[in-house]
Amino acid sequence: GAVLLVRPEFALFVGLMGLVLLIRRHLPAAVLLGVTATAVVLPWPAYNILAHDRVILMSSRGGPNFWMGNNALAIGDGDVASNPAMAHEYVTIIEGNPELSPEELEKLFYRRSVQFIREQPLQWASLLVKKVFWFALPLTIITVGLTR
């Protein structure tokens, strides 16, 4: 549960771990994982609802991260360091809105991402194919490696 507060993207892996435990019929361990993760994480979204009047599950980085994968400068690999133009645009957006809190910036990045998807559906679909490839490639390598 604590790893989710530091790295919210691990929620996928915690969920998959719980699913594996269920499939392997380790119900007590699956329940313990779910209860523990929930108990550790639940106070944070509860605080965010009270403080910001909306649900922010664990981090206000969701908007920027979503934008990094869904904008006209994205190339589909999710690596900002290898994309100087996108890194520059990211900094420009933040510096151009100094009055916005991290939570307000999150909303701005989400809006820009959705706008890009609506205005450039073919470019977005192309990015989606690339992202699926980059996501599946390591899984394929691991699977092939395990079967040898």
Side-chain angles (χ1 to χ4, degrees):
V3 72
L4 298 176
L5 295 175
V6 179
R7 301 295 299 217
E9 58 272 18
F10 274 87
L12 174 66
F13 298 106
V14 172
L16 287 174
M17 190 181 335
L19 184 61
V20 167
L21 289 170
L22 286 173
I23 290 170
R24 293 187 175 185
R25 303 196 191 288
H26 296 291
L27 184 61
V31 170
L32 182 63
L33 176 68
V35 168
T36 303
T38 302
V40 170
V41 170
L42 193 59
W44 191 243
Y47 165 79
N48 284 332
I49 290 169
L50 295 173
H52 305 291
D53 239 3
R54 69 186 187 97
V55 176
I56 301 172
L57 291 179
M58 292 172 271
S59 168
S60 61
R61 296 284 310 150
N65 286 336
F66 188 69
W67 176 85
M68 288 174 195
N70 299 285
N71 71 78
L73 298 171
I75 56 176
D77 66 356
D79 185 8
V80 179
S82 68
N83 189 338
M86 188 169 65
H88 180 265
E89 181 66 14
Y90 174 75
V91 171
T92 300
I93 292 169
I94 291 174
E95 289 178 351
N97 296 282
E99 74 286 357
L100 297 182
S101 69
E103 294 77 23
E104 292 167 325
L105 279 169
E106 179 188 38
K107 289 180 191 178
L108 175 64
F109 279 108
Y110 272 127
R111 279 195 308 271
R112 286 182 177 226
S113 299
V114 170
Q115 179 181 1
F116 163 73
I117 293 167
R118 285 185 179 147
E119 293 176 358
Q120 302 292 329
L122 294 178
Q123 185 180 358
W124 176 77
S126 171
L127 282 173
L128 187 60
V129 168
K130 291 174 187 175
K131 289 186 272 188
V132 167
F133 171 78
W134 288 116
F135 179 77
L137 181 64
L139 297 176
T140 304
I141 291 170
I142 290 168
T143 304
V144 170
L146 291 176
T147 59
R148 291 185 180 208

